[in-house]
């Protein structure tokens, strides 16, 4: 009868721990259990008891202290001897044998920061205790005739403390690896703003992208709402001049500077004083922006930018063709180790082009940021590996 009930307890125990430990194994490999002695949960055991691979373990020293077992460590043989009255059990950590009288069975232990945790059931049963378990907690309890509470009552009585203990002994979930910071690309839009600009702004906002708009003074004057929106959305409002006419803009250094100044004056008037000092000259800075022009621009405090990816959107007049061509160049620039600096215009097909090139940039870890005056200007006279 006795051996049958022991067998049943063992079977129950094995099934229980299988259920208990299986899910925990997936994340931590061990799970917290609460060891109880009669009507008391042993919160002071250290390290905390835990279940690993279907076996629940308790720290041999603090557990033995609680139960009044004498613990002797025999270094020569690697044995731990637990004694209580006439009862002696020996745990051999070298041969991994659990020895009681003439019987010797395998046992396993775990070592946490030089504290030995030993199988709870084996030890308790060896000293004649009953072992029972509750899913609630979970609680592993050794008991004798002095136990008054049911397992449920034991749990309910200690519920708050159990949950507080679990919280205190649960390591914080591992932090997900920090995403590598997005590398920057620069989307730039020339010649606006115009009736196509709002759609571009919508797209940029929806995709959390910042860009640079190289605006023309007359278009800014005609579209103050769009200029304000660019400003409020955090884009850089840069200037592209007034006339967009080679013969006028490049007629003299002072004419070129004057157009930029006039453009920025308009922008400032609309934004209430805010403007960048970033410029792009019509048709790009080569060959027109010769030494004397560049000197004049520098002296006026302007930072001149060209591009390293020309979409040729005005020439293709087809979103599909422009997108394919632009992505090809973007890929080449990225391959060379530089940040794509993309020239686009505020056109009817611009959003369609963005819908192709932005996912391409994103897939390679790039996001569009605005050009600011703190970035070294990249232009055809000052080519470097823009990062
Ligand atoms: Zn232009």
């Amino acid at each position: 009868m006795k051996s049958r009930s022991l067998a049943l307890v063992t079977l129950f125990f094995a099934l229980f721990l299988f259920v208990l430990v299986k899910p925990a194994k997936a994340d931590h490999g061990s799970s917290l259990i609460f060891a109880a002695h009669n009507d008391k949960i042993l919160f002071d055991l250290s390290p905390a008891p835990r279940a690993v691979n279907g076996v629940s373990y308790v720290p041999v020293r603090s557990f033995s202290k609680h139960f009044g077992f004498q613990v002797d460590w025999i270094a020569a043989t690697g044995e731990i001897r637990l004694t209580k009255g006439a009862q002696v059990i020996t745990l051999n950590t070298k041969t991994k044998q659990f020895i009681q009288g003439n019987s010797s069975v395998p046992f396993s232990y775990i070592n946490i920061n030089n504290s030995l945790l030993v199988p709870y059931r084996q030890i308790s049963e060896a000293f004649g205790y009953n072992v029972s378990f509750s899913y609630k907690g979970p609680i592993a309890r050794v008991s004798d005739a002095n136990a008054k509470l049911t397992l449920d009552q034991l749990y309910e009585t200690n519920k708050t403390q159990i949950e507080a203990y679990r919280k205190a002994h649960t390591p914080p979930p591992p932090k997900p690896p920090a995403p590598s910071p997005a590398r920057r690309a620069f989307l730039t839009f020339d010649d606006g703003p115009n009736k196509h600009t709002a759609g571009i702004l919508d797209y940029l906002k929806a995709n959390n992208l910042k860009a640079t708009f190289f605006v023309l003074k007359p278009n800014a004057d005609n579209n103050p709402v769009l200029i304000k929106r660019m400003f409020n959305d955090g884009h850089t409002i840069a200037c592209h001049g007034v006339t967009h006419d080679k013969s006028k803009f490049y007629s003299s250094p002072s004419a070129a500077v004057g157009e930029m100044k006039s453009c920025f004056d308009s922008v400032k008037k609309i934004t209430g004083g805010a403007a960048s000092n970033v410029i792009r000259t019509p048709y790009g800075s080569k060959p027109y922006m010769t030494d004397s022009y560049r000197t004049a621009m520098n002296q006026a405090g302007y930072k001149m930018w060209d591009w390293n990816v020309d979409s040729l959107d005005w020439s293709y007049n087809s979103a599909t063709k422009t997108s394919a061509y632009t992505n090809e160049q973007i890929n080449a620039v990225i391959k060379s180790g530089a940040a794509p600096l993309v020239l686009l215009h505020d056109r009817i097909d611009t959003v369609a082009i963005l819908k192709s090139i932005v996912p391409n940039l994103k897939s390679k870890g790039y996001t569009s940021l605005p050009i600011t005056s703190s970035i070294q200007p990249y232009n055809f006279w000052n080519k470097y590996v823009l990062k």
Side-chain angles (χ1 to χ4, degrees), residues 34-43 63 66-67 84 120 124 128-134 139-155 157-158 162:
F34 292 86
H37 179 203
N38 289 334
D39 297 336
K40 190 171 188 277
I41 292 181
L42 310 179
F43 289 109
F63 178 76
H66 180 84
F67 281 85
K84 187 176 188 182
Y120 179 70
S124 307
Y129 289 97
N130 293 317
V131 182
S132 53
F133 294 88
S134 167
I139 298 169
R141 178 204 216 183
V142 296
S143 58
D144 54 29
N146 295 319
K148 301 273 185 293
L149 301 178
T150 64
L151 273 172
D152 265 3
Q153 289 168 333
L154 183 61
Y155 173 73
T157 315
N158 290 279
I162 283 174

Side-chain angles (χ1 to χ4, degrees), residues 297-311:
M297 285 296 186
N298 277 335
Q299 283 172 351
Y302 296 133
K303 309 273 189 182
M304 187 174 74
W305 285 73
D306 287 307
W307 55 84
N308 62 20
V309 173
D310 185 352
S311 67

